[in-house]
């Protein structure tokens, strides 16, 4: 009987940025600052969109849910990163790794479909303004948000189980900042072609499909806006979409580059840098984009702050 070099893994070592030992303190402060900024920025959006009556519209309802997803999304990754850097102990159990992977995939898909829902909301508002209150009623909005949350749950629970039901062999060092599919598949034993196939299916169903929905919405929006006779009207219509377009470009641009980089190459440093950008930096930038480019939101924020000052 042939003896195989098969090790039963009980935990992984998340290497993160351990190859740069001299900057660990700087990285801890940087990531802590980013995490606090994400919590404050997105938390402020959630509070204002729920408190201010002027923002009780479908657009801001979706934005509040999007900000909540951003907080959950980064909270699944950043706290463990901070603990690992602080303690210099980077081990993670298989169960914790599986949970992190599953939540990451589900939250990323929720964010992707929420962006598609927000694009559809802008399409209805601009292309069918008379029917907007009927089409985007409260029941429809709630169903859209629930759909975005649950659409990927069965698929990713099954996929996570499939990845972790197989054996891992060789090194238990995961050269990444969190438990993600591509680096995990590199440590798996045997034939991983099935898992790699489902990884491409993920990209098509849960990234490319929502992106095409967003693209179709904006093609229709552009066609309608160009028919508006006044320059002021066109400018106003475009301004309601500009923040969303910027967030879409950041999310899909960095995410797709990171994933296709992970699939096509095993260059750890480049892969980790792109992963940091789309999992950590983008959620920090998004609240700035929505708040600084939105006059209604700025007005509501000033109004809320003035109320707090009056109470003091």
């Amino acid at each position: 009987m042939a003896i195989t070099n098969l090790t039963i893994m009980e935990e992984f070592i998340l290497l993160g940025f351990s190859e740069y030992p001299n900057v660990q303190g700087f990285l801890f402060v940087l990531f802590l600052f980013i995490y606090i900024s994400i919590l404050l920025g997105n938390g402020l959006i959630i509070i204002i969109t729920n408190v201010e009556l002027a923002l009780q519209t479908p657009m801001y309802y979706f934005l509040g849910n999007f900000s909540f997803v951003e907080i959950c999304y980064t909270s699944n990754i950043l706290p463990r990163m901070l603990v690992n850097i602080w303690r210099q102990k980077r081990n993670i159990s298989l169960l914790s790794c599986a949970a992190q992977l599953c939540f990451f995939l589900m939250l990323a898909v929720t964010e992707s479909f929420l962006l598609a829902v927000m694009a559809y909301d802008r399409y209805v508002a601009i292309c069918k303004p008379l029917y907007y209150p009927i089409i985007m009623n409260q029941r429809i909005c709630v169903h859209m948000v629930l759909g975005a949350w649950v659409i990927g749950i069965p698929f990713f629970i099954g996929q996570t189980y499939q990845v972790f039901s197989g054996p891992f062999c060789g090194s238990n060092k995961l050269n990444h900042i969190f438990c993600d599919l591509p680096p995990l598949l590199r440590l798996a034993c045997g034939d991983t072609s099935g898992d790699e196939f489902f990884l491409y299916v993920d990209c098509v169903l849960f990234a490319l499909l929502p992106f095409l929905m967003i693209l179709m919405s904006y093609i229709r929006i552009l066609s309608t806006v160009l028919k508006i006779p006044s320059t002021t009207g066109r400018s106003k219509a475009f301004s309601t979409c500009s923040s969303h377009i910027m967030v879409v470009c950041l999310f899909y641009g960095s995410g797709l580059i990171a994933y296709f980089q992970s699939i096509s190459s095993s260059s750890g440093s480049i892969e980790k840098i792109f992963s940091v950008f789309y999992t950590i930096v983008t959620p920090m930038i998004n609240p700035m984009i929505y708040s600084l480019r939105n006059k209604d939101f700025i007005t509501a924020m000033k109004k809320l702050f003035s109320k707090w000052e009056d109470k003091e």
Side-chain angles (χ1 to χ4, degrees), residues 35-218:
Y35 187 46
I36 292 172
S37 300
I38 290 169
L39 294 179
L40 290 177
N42 287 285
L44 184 62
I45 287 176
I46 294 170
I47 291 170
I48 291 178
T49 54
N50 281 278
V51 170
E52 290 300 314
L53 293 176
L55 303 183
Q56 301 294 309
T57 63
M59 181 176 74
Y60 292 105
Y61 172 71
F62 296 137
L63 178 58
N65 278 275
F66 184 78
S67 294
F68 179 69
V69 175
E70 293 273 56
I71 290 174
C72 296
Y73 184 66
T74 51
S75 295
N76 183 46
I77 297 169
L78 261 175
R80 178 170 286 276
M81 279 183 62
L82 291 168
V83 170
N84 289 347
I85 295 173
W86 180 260
R87 296 173 57 197
Q88 291 297 301
K89 188 178 180 183
R90 304 173 184 277
N91 58 308
I92 180 171
S93 68
L94 256 68
L95 182 60
S96 297
C97 189
Q100 188 180 58
L101 172 66
C102 191
F103 280 116
F104 165 72
L105 293 173
M106 289 190 297
L107 290 168
V109 167
T110 300
E111 191 166 349
S112 180
F113 276 96
L114 272 178
L115 287 171
V117 166
M118 293 165 79
Y120 178 73
D121 172 71
R122 292 299 83 205
Y123 157 72
V124 177
I126 294 172
C127 300
K128 299 182 179 182
L130 297 178
Y131 296 98
Y132 184 77
I134 300 171
I135 297 174
M136 302 303 294
N137 60 64
Q138 185 178 8
R139 183 176 63 86
I140 293 296
C141 292
V142 171
H143 286 174
M144 284 181 170
V145 169
L146 287 176
W149 273 98
V150 304
I151 192 168
I153 289 177
F155 186 88
F156 289 119
I157 289 176
Q159 188 168 15
T160 302
Y161 173 79
Q162 181 181 351
V163 171
F164 281 87
S165 61
F168 295 92
C169 53
S171 173
N172 69 336
K173 294 180 179 179
L174 199 64
N175 191 20
H176 206 54
I177 60 173
F178 67 97
C179 292
D180 199 3
L181 268 176
L184 280 168
L185 293 180
R186 295 187 198 118
L187 300 182
C189 297
D191 183 17
T192 60
S193 57
D195 293 317
E196 291 171 0
F197 171 75
F198 281 111
L199 180 57
Y200 283 103
V201 171
D202 289 348
C203 292
V204 172
L205 288 181
F206 302 114
L208 184 59
L209 181 61
F211 179 75
L212 290 176
M213 292 166 65
I214 294 169
L215 188 63
M216 288 173 62
S217 295
Y218 277 110

Side-chain angles (χ1 to χ4, degrees), residues 240-258:
T240 64
C241 303
S242 59
S243 297
H244 182 259
I245 292 172
M246 291 175 68
V247 171
V248 167
C249 292
L250 278 173
F251 178 77
Y252 281 101
S254 58
L256 289 175
I257 290 172

Side-chain angles (χ1 to χ4, degrees), residues 1-19:
M1 184 181 294
I3 299 174
T4 57
N5 183 22
L6 179 63
T7 305
I8 299 175
M9 297 287 184
E10 295 183 356
E11 63 179 18
F12 291 111
I13 307 296
L14 280 171
L15 294 181
F17 294 100
S18 58
E19 66 265 37

Side-chain angles (χ1 to χ4, degrees), residues 16-17 19-20 175-177 186 254 257-262 264-278:
F17 294 100
E19 66 265 37
Y20 307 109
N175 191 20
H176 206 54
I177 60 173
R186 295 187 198 118
S254 58
I257 290 172
Y259 249 69
F260 283 114
Q261 172 70 28
S262 299
S264 62
S265 171
S266 59
S267 176
S269 297
I270 297 175
E271 182 180 344
K272 283 184 281 189
I273 290 170
F274 277 116
S275 296
V276 164
F277 193 83
Y278 84 90

